[in-house]
Amino acid sequence: MEPEHIDVTAETGLPRQPGTHQDCRGVASVLSRVGDKWSVLVVMLLRDGPRRFNELKRIINGISQRMLTLTLRGLERDGLVTRTVFPTIPPRVDYELTDLGRGLAVPVMALGEWAFAHLPEIEGARNDFDARNAE
């Protein structure tokens, strides 16, 4: 019989429990990337196939060139987007979701659909809250 593998923390040498502070920090860093509004928009736009930088910038109203660059770089670093440079003049650069990124597009779209379906309720709750707290 093979011994059971127990994952231990480096700090204490004690068994790691799911949901510990260390696990939460790791998940939080992923959620901060995939949950910010620009990343969500980029993932949604790339779900149908590759797009060029300027095409993304034109479609995403209000995003600066710097913010789009940072967003794409972060998504690429996390393995969600690939960047392909074509040797043309001027260089052509395409961004595309990886398999991991396509997997993320599913819950992102579900979250968007949920938000759209519940928008009237949310706006009503906001109005009620603002009215109660206006005094």
Side-chain angles (χ1 to χ4, degrees):
M1 182 169 187
E2 198 170 306
E4 179 182 333
H5 173 72
I6 299 174
D7 188 21
V8 297
T9 64
E11 298 86 24
T12 65
L14 298 172
R16 181 184 310 273
Q17 299 296 316
T20 63
H21 183 67
Q22 183 72 20
D23 293 335
C24 290
R25 283 194 318 212
V27 169
S29 73
V30 172
L31 291 177
S32 70
R33 163 74 55 226
V34 301
D36 80 74
K37 70 178 180 179
W38 301 124
S39 294
V40 166
L41 289 171
V42 168
V43 168
M44 289 174 67
L45 288 170
L46 293 178
R47 76 185 187 281
D48 294 327
R51 293 187 186 260
R52 297 170 90 170
F53 182 92
N54 284 334
E55 183 181 7
L56 290 168
K57 187 170 182 327
R58 192 171 44 254
I59 295 170
I60 303 173
N61 191 23
I63 193 168
S64 68
Q65 183 166 333
R66 175 169 163 65
M67 183 52 66
L68 181 55
T69 298
L70 291 172
T71 299
L72 288 166
R73 194 172 290 156
L75 291 169
E76 183 180 7
R77 180 175 183 253
D78 288 347
L80 301 167
V81 166
T82 59
R83 178 179 185 267
T84 304
V85 180
F86 296 92
T88 60
I89 297 179
R92 177 179 152 195
V93 180
D94 282 358
Y95 294 90
E96 185 174 15
L97 292 177
T98 62
D99 287 341
L100 187 61
R102 281 187 287 281
L104 173 62
V106 174
V108 163
M109 291 302 294
L111 182 59
E113 290 168 5
W114 179 90
F116 186 76
H118 292 84
L119 190 57
E121 294 169 74
I122 293 168
E123 288 175 341
R126 287 175 179 170
N127 290 336
D128 292 347
F129 179 90
D130 292 346
R132 285 192 313 270
N133 292 289
E135 290 94 45

